[in-house]
Amino acid sequence: MKRLFDFVVSLIGLIVLSPVMAVIALCIVADSKGGVFFRGERVGRYGKSFRIFKFRSMVPDCEGKGKWNVGDRDERITRVGHFLRKSKLDELPQLLNVLKGEMSLVGYRPELRFYVDMYTEEEMPILDLKPGVTDWASMANFEQFKGFTASEDPDAFYLEQVRPLKLRLQLYYRYNHSFWGDIKCLLWTTFKVLTHSQKLPRDVQKIVDDYSAEKQQQTLS
């Protein structure tokens, strides 16, 4: 059922959003050279690599040349790219990955091989599922670019502040996912994109709160 749902919704989404995506594509081409799409390599189900679709928000061929994690003041981001990244519209082309079966609408966010190679044995089961366009970690770290912008070292900020909670929430999804849970996540994603609210579902908020309490205890000890 999950694959059928992914296929139908991604196909309808691409059709309905095609006028919006066409306008975005024209803006990207008019703003800077380098094509419409970014096709970076990511790690998917069972550790298999694939090329993710995103609207290009940075100058061409810059991934891995500098910081992996990008703050809002990074000079590699194009003028249109600033808007695309803040609005999350750069993620829309991933519906193509969903249509192809490389991704799901809901699942762990696909990661760089560099970070997947750091997975512990406990974290490896995350890769048993397909990566997704959205997940609970994305909800908890909805405006993580602000942390990257404020940090002197965005990569260190990601490793120390973002990634540990991200992995905990992805493991929660791995062992508790369901079809109706995916519907719930999609509805919450829509809510967060439209309102930028800090609210989270009760179960997800508990994981975030428990993690924050552990971090605080570690700091005090």
Side-chain angles (χ1 to χ4, degrees), residues 3-34:
R3 175 57 188 149
L4 178 61
F5 179 77
D6 283 343
F7 182 86
V8 172
V9 173
S10 61
L11 180 60
I12 293 173
L14 286 167
I15 293 171
V16 172
L17 295 171
S18 58
V20 175
M21 296 175 71
V23 171
I24 293 173
L26 289 173
C27 291
I28 293 171
V29 171
D31 182 50
S32 63
K33 295 180 180 179

Side-chain angles (χ1 to χ4, degrees), residues 2 6 104-109 125-126 129-132 134-137 166-179 181-183 185 204 207:
K2 182 178 175 71
D6 283 343
S104 178
L105 292 170
V106 180
Y108 65 93
R109 287 296 296 153
I126 291 171
L129 306 177
K130 289 181 182 179
T134 188
D135 67 349
W136 294 123
K166 178 180 179 178
L167 288 169
R168 186 170 297 194
L169 287 166
Q170 289 177 343
L171 282 168
Y172 172 75
Y173 178 80
R174 165 63 182 82
Y175 293 111
N176 296 276
H177 67 93
S178 67
F179 177 74
D182 284 0
I183 299 296
C185 187
V204 177
I207 295 172

Side-chain angles (χ1 to χ4, degrees), residues 69-71 88 109 111 115 118-119 123 126 135-151 153-171 207-208 211-212 215:
N69 300 285
V70 180
K88 308 297 183 181
R109 287 296 296 153
E111 191 64 279
Y115 292 117
M118 298 181 188
Y119 278 9
E123 294 158 355
I126 291 171
D135 67 349
W136 294 123
S138 301
M139 299 298 97
N141 296 304
F142 190 72
E143 296 186 331
Q144 67 183 15
F145 72 90
K146 291 183 178 180
F148 295 150
T149 301
S151 175
D153 188 342
D155 287 344
F157 178 83
Y158 177 76
L159 281 172
E160 297 167 10
Q161 303 296 326
V162 176
R163 187 172 181 268
L165 176 58
K166 178 180 179 178
L167 288 169
R168 186 170 297 194
L169 287 166
Q170 289 177 343
L171 282 168
I207 295 172
V208 174
Y211 172 77
S212 297
K215 289 286 287 184

